[in-house]
Amino acid sequence: MQQYPPDDFTYATVLAGAELYCDRRLMLDRPSELPEHLRRAGAGRRIIMHGMHSVVDWLGFAVWEDGVLIRSLSLSPDGGIQENIGKPYDFELPYWAGEHPVEPVPGWHNQDPYPLPFHPLDLGEEALRALFGFIIEGLPSPDDIDADSVHLHGFRVIDPSGEEQAVREAAYAEALQTMGPPRMYRMGPDGTMHEVSPESY
């Protein structure tokens, strides 16, 4: 299973009763804005969109039934809740009820409370299991599908105009300019984390 396809690549497979596509271009801040031509391609069927990004703790997923949006959720600690449409699924309820809070990391000083009632990636794994039948991280249950056994075909799909690539490269350049110098930490003998200079790392 391709977890994070490289730029300009789509991975796909057709299974019994399902088609699966993996492409970073489908990781939308507002999942409800899935392009119309993709929604038309799934007419008369259920469409499930799911994406996670561990660097920013982002989760986004959406479900359409016969072209009708049933549920869409997108959230991250920095961006907050970007989209929350429809009634939460049963698997979400314990998270919204505060049963899975993010605990402070022992040894890290001056930690602000986590800005969401749960970690988006934890709910993301639960959504994967409920909607697709497998998880990526954590302890799989006996009924989970072995995602590594699902083989996908890779296709290089590029924008012939070059516009998509130019926008992406400009975004990368802007991100590099706004990033500060890297900060590195090392665990001390007592288990606490201490910032160290890059030269000593």
Side-chain angles (χ1 to χ4, degrees):
M1 177 74 69
Q2 181 68 34
Q3 294 180 16
Y4 197 69
D7 290 335
D8 299 325
F9 270 83
T10 294
Y11 288 81
T13 190
V14 177
L15 306 169
E19 298 172 9
L20 181 63
Y21 302 93
C22 299
D23 192 311
R24 281 167 44 190
R25 288 167 281 206
L26 299 177
M27 294 176 63
L28 305 174
D29 288 338
R30 297 186 179 277
S32 66
E33 296 176 357
L34 184 71
E36 184 181 351
H37 71 279
L38 294 176
R39 296 196 309 270
R40 283 199 311 266
R45 296 181 289 172
R46 170 186 253 203
I47 299 174
I48 304 171
M49 179 181 159
H50 184 284
M52 295 189 296
H53 199 304
S54 60
V55 173
V56 293
D57 293 350
W58 171 79
L59 163 67
F61 72 87
V63 178
W64 290 260
E65 297 283 0
D66 197 11
V68 177
L69 181 66
I70 302 298
R71 178 75 174 126
S72 181
L73 178 67
S74 174
L75 73 169
S76 67
D78 291 335
I81 299 174
Q82 296 162 289
E83 190 162 82
N84 188 3
I85 299 171
K87 181 181 176 183
Y89 286 106
D90 287 347
F91 67 81
E92 298 179 59
L93 298 180
Y95 291 85
W96 291 111
E99 296 178 22
H100 300 278
V102 177
E103 302 294 341
V105 179
W108 287 74
H109 303 291
N110 303 322
Q111 294 181 68
D112 293 327
Y114 199 76
L116 295 169
F118 53 84
H119 197 292
L121 301 185
D122 291 342
L123 177 57
E125 290 290 332
E126 202 62 42
L128 272 177
R129 174 175 278 141
L131 300 172
F132 292 94
F134 69 89
I135 59 172
I136 295 173
E137 295 184 2
L139 186 64
S141 70
D143 295 333
D144 285 345
I145 295 168
D146 177 9
D148 290 332
S149 69
V150 179
H151 300 285
L152 285 79
H153 301 280
F155 302 91
R156 184 170 173 82
V157 182
I158 61 171
D159 177 1
S161 72
E163 181 179 336
E164 182 179 283
Q165 293 84 350
V167 168
R168 184 172 58 231
E169 288 172 10
Y172 288 161
E174 182 181 348
L176 284 174
Q177 287 181 343
T178 58
M179 289 172 60
R183 299 176 68 185
M184 299 185 183
Y185 293 84
R186 180 176 289 144
M187 185 177 291
D190 61 352
T192 60
M193 302 300 289
H194 304 277
E195 189 168 0
V196 298
S197 65
E199 294 79 18
S200 64
Y201 195 76

